[in-house]
Amino acid sequence: MDQFQNIERLSLNQITTEKWNIREAVDGCARAGIPWIGLWRHKIKELGLPGSKRLLRDAGLKVSSLCRGGMFPAATATERQKRLDDNRRAVEEAAELGTDVLVLVCGPAPDRDIGAARKMVEESIGELVPYAKSYGVKLGIEPLHPMYAAERCVIVTMEEANTLAEQYQPDEVGVVVDVFHVWWDRNLYKQISRAKDRILGFHVSDWIVPTPDLLMGRGMMGDGVIELRKIRKAVEAAGYDGPIEVEIFNHDIWNTPGDQVLELMKERYLEHC
Amino acid sequence: MDQFQNIERLSLNQITTEKWNIREAVDGCARAGIPWIGLWRHKIKELGLPGSKRLLRDAGLKVSSLCRGGMFPAATATERQKRLDDNRRAVEEAAELGTDVLVLVCGPAPDRDIGAARKMVEESIGELVPYAKSYGVKLGIEPLHPMYAAERCVIVTMEEANTLAEQYQPDEVGVVVDVFHVWWDRNLYKQISRAKDRILGFHVSDWIVPTPDLLMGRGMMGDGVIELRKIRKAVEAAGYDGPIEVEIFNHDIWNTPGDQVLELMKERYLEHC
């Protein structure tokens, strides 16, 4: 079957239907025939880990990843330790929920020193790796768009994510490619190719023009300027054949009934991804 | 005199006091003792070229740069030619106004093909260089923040700007370093150093947290997270000793009386830049 003509790899990242709780999201995926789901920790908290796990298993839904670990840099050693402990909990949750990918959003600097924050990220990942490995969980470093460097993540390019990941084995640390964050990068295809056999996730959405908002301005695939199919092909040429998550922060989409969003998502995925 | 304790290099980029026309801006700089001004073409249109020129000369105000040329990529050859013609007018205006720097905001893609747009930028600069040179005007490629890649400029890193500029002599094409656009880049200091003797402008403002808006979210120096003094030192180590423009898009600042803005600007410049 043509790889672009089916939804076998399609995954609903839970944030795309932000108003649905885990039960509604699982039911929605079942109705829509979407085989994968990307989970968020705060959404799992609502029902608890065992209940969420049972729900997923009963629906036969596969978990593409858990969002999110990270947020490593902090002003004090105590706070950094607290963050690291929270990351260990995230590793445990990922394993328990049946995914081997924990997505890392690495965090901003606690001050003006972005270089120091990047070092903290590097050190914290180093501390987390053995723990994650013992649970069979891989750490997926997701470079975020540079416009989030001050508030969410000091790792903002594929080049940086690759450089960090390459300090470890591919079954320990890899990268997550989210088109919204990296589409603008002249080195994108070179860096995707460099990430060969180390890509742990592929997220799609679109960059809409004009862009209405820093955080909530993502669009549905096809509504923007990102060369989705081209990037997907590059990611696949680099050995990635796993689930493709649709992850969209957008109030209009959040305010649309979930079933409608899922139908549109399937249609656009087949047409553009 | 300590290089950081005077305002001899301070320049008001006209957009910072957006509500002032050219006459008000020139008078404001004179009152505040600010020796440089960065001009915008739409502001010059209000009074006309000869009138603006006379105004500047009478006030003894030096022109740090003209904003802006660029906007090269377009869907048709006719439109591209029109853009190029407009850039020739911008070159003439820069020369007439007494600055040898035309700032280039290179433009977005007319479609989804960012790679093709980058090629158009490269070609158009090549066509513009001889004309600019004949007027003694240097082209300053300003990489814009990647969040503007779809709407304003496909050249988004110092690395890209350097690679473009290096095809020409330093008295033909250089780069403009605006901290707001490049502060997040892990390769920033390496690329500033690479731009040695090719830096044609240095723009300051700040990245405020939380960032309220893509376009209008810039802050006054000291109100955000950018390591201004560190970047200035790097730019100077790369041989730049020209004017330092304060360029801020921010409604709160635009709504503040201009004289107050200039006083705050001087204070913050001395403290943070």
Side-chain angles (χ1 to χ4, degrees):
Chain A
M1 187 159 45
D2 184 328
Q3 60 179 328
F4 303 121
Q5 295 306 314
N6 68 78
I7 59 165
E8 285 173 16
R9 294 171 61 193
L10 181 58
S11 179
L12 171 70
N13 181 295
Q14 262 193 294
I15 213 68
T16 304
T17 49
E18 203 274 342
K19 295 194 175 166
W20 270 352
N21 62 28
I22 176 72
R23 186 181 302 277
E24 290 165 324
V26 168
D27 289 349
C29 284
R31 279 193 301 276
I34 292 172
W36 294 90
I37 188 166
L39 301 172
W40 280 70
R41 294 179 74 198
H42 70 281
K43 292 274 183 192
I44 294 303
K45 278 215 180 86
E46 293 166 5
L47 189 67
L49 210 53
S52 302
K53 194 180 160 183
R54 202 158 44 235
L55 204 62
L56 291 158
R57 194 193 50 209
D58 291 351
L61 204 54
K62 295 173 282 186
V63 180
S64 46
S65 72
L66 181 64
C67 285
R68 59 189 190 188
M71 296 292 155
F72 299 115
T76 65
T78 311
E79 180 59 27
R80 287 185 64 192
Q81 191 55 51
K82 210 174 121 188
R83 308 276 182 101
L84 204 53
D85 288 343
D86 185 59
N87 272 279
R88 293 198 177 93
R89 298 299 83 73
V91 163
E92 295 162 10
E93 290 168 26
E96 183 71 12
L97 290 162
T99 176
D100 62 352
V101 178
L102 176 64
V103 176
L104 300 184
V105 172
C106 291
D111 49 31
R112 286 191 174 94
D113 193 344
I114 193 170
R118 282 170 170 148
K119 281 207 180 66
M120 290 185 212
V121 168
E122 189 174 351
E123 288 167 12
S124 295
I125 290 175
E127 290 196 57
L128 191 57
V129 166
Y131 194 79
K133 197 171 186 181
S134 74
Y135 276 83
V137 171
K138 300 171 195 171
L139 304 176
I141 302 171
E142 181 173 350
L144 257 55
H145 194 284
M147 70 186 174
Y148 302 130
E151 291 182 68
R152 284 178 182 77
C153 181
V154 293
I155 307 302
V156 293
T157 61
M158 281 287 294
E159 184 187 7
E160 290 186 83
N162 275 333
T163 301
L164 278 174
E166 284 169 1
Q167 300 180 32
Y168 305 93
Q169 296 303 313
D171 66 342
E172 294 170 336
V173 182
V175 299
V176 173
V177 181
D178 183 315
V179 296
F180 181 83
H181 295 306
V182 301
W183 72 276
W184 55 270
D185 188 349
R186 187 187 283 248
N187 297 318
L188 178 59
Y189 297 97
K190 188 170 80 180
Q191 292 296 329
I192 286 176
S193 164
R194 175 181 166 194
K196 193 163 171 53
D197 300 327
R198 207 182 271 278
I199 296 174
L200 299 180
F202 181 48
H203 295 184
V204 292
S205 63
D206 215 332
W207 185 283
I208 44 181
V209 175
T211 315
D213 185 75
L214 269 92
L215 182 61
M216 299 303 297
R218 296 195 205 188
M220 184 59 76
M221 298 82 75
D223 285 342
V225 297
I226 301 179
E227 295 173 292
L228 293 161
R229 183 69 55 92
K230 184 175 173 188
I231 300 177
R232 172 172 169 180
K233 284 181 177 171
V235 162
E236 292 182 356
Y240 184 72
D241 60 3
I244 299 175
E245 287 188 23
V246 176
E247 184 185 36
I248 305 178
F249 293 74
N250 182 308
H251 283 301
D252 290 341
I253 290 176
W254 288 5
N255 288 328
T256 303
D259 285 326
Q260 275 182 43
V261 172
L262 265 52
E263 286 310 311
L264 182 62
M265 198 175 104
K266 286 196 290 185
E267 191 184 297
R268 296 297 187 83
Y269 172 82
L270 291 171
E271 192 178 344
H272 296 281
C273 297
Chain B
M1 187 159 46
D2 184 328
Q3 62 178 328
F4 303 122
Q5 294 307 312
N6 68 77
I7 59 166
E8 286 173 15
R9 294 171 60 193
L10 181 59
S11 178
L12 171 70
N13 182 295
Q14 263 192 293
I15 212 69
T16 304
T17 49
E18 203 274 340
K19 294 193 176 167
W20 270 353
N21 62 28
I22 177 71
R23 187 181 300 277
E24 290 166 323
V26 168
D27 289 349
C29 284
R31 279 193 301 276
I34 292 172
W36 294 89
I37 189 165
L39 300 173
W40 279 69
R41 294 178 73 198
H42 69 283
K43 291 277 185 191
I44 294 302
K45 278 214 180 86
E46 293 167 3
L47 189 66
L49 210 53
S52 302
K53 195 181 160 183
R54 202 160 41 235
L55 205 62
L56 291 158
R57 194 193 49 208
D58 291 350
L61 205 54
K62 295 174 281 187
V63 180
S64 47
S65 73
L66 181 65
C67 285
R68 59 190 189 189
M71 296 292 156
F72 300 114
T76 65
T78 311
E79 179 61 26
R80 286 185 64 193
Q81 192 55 51
K82 211 174 119 191
R83 307 278 181 100
L84 204 53
D85 289 342
D86 185 58
N87 273 277
R88 294 199 176 94
R89 298 299 84 74
V91 163
E92 295 160 12
E93 291 169 25
E96 182 70 14
L97 291 163
T99 176
D100 63 350
V101 178
L102 177 64
V103 176
L104 300 183
V105 172
C106 292
D111 48 31
R112 286 191 173 92
D113 194 343
I114 192 171
R118 283 169 170 148
K119 279 205 183 66
M120 290 185 213
V121 168
E122 189 175 348
E123 288 166 10
S124 296
I125 289 175
E127 290 196 56
L128 190 57
V129 166
Y131 194 78
K133 198 171 184 182
S134 73
Y135 276 83
V137 170
K138 301 172 193 170
L139 304 176
I141 302 170
E142 181 172 349
L144 257 56
H145 194 284
M147 70 186 174
Y148 301 130
E151 291 181 69
R152 281 177 186 76
C153 181
V154 293
I155 307 302
V156 293
T157 61
M158 281 286 295
E159 183 187 7
E160 291 186 82
N162 276 332
T163 300
L164 279 174
E166 284 169 1
Q167 300 180 32
Y168 305 93
Q169 296 303 313
D171 66 342
E172 295 170 335
V173 183
V175 300
V176 172
V177 181
D178 183 315
V179 297
F180 181 82
H181 295 306
V182 300
W183 72 276
W184 55 270
D185 187 349
R186 186 187 286 248
N187 297 319
L188 177 59
Y189 297 96
K190 188 170 80 181
Q191 293 296 330
I192 286 176
S193 164
R194 175 181 165 193
K196 191 160 172 56
D197 299 328
R198 208 182 271 278
I199 296 174
L200 300 180
F202 181 47
H203 295 183
V204 293
S205 63
D206 216 332
W207 185 282
I208 45 182
V209 175
T211 315
D213 185 75
L214 270 92
L215 182 62
M216 299 303 298
R218 296 195 204 187
M220 184 59 76
M221 298 83 74
D223 285 343
V225 298
I226 301 179
E227 296 174 290
L228 293 161
R229 183 69 55 94
K230 185 176 172 187
I231 300 176
R232 172 172 169 178
K233 285 182 178 172
V235 162
E236 292 182 356
Y240 184 71
D241 59 4
I244 299 175
E245 286 187 23
V246 176
E247 185 185 35
I248 306 178
F249 293 74
N250 182 307
H251 283 301
D252 290 341
I253 289 175
W254 289 4
N255 288 329
T256 303
D259 286 326
Q260 274 182 46
V261 171
L262 265 52
E263 286 310 310
L264 182 63
M265 201 176 104
K266 285 197 291 184
E267 191 184 296
R268 296 297 186 82
Y269 173 82
L270 291 171
E271 190 178 346
H272 296 283
C273 296

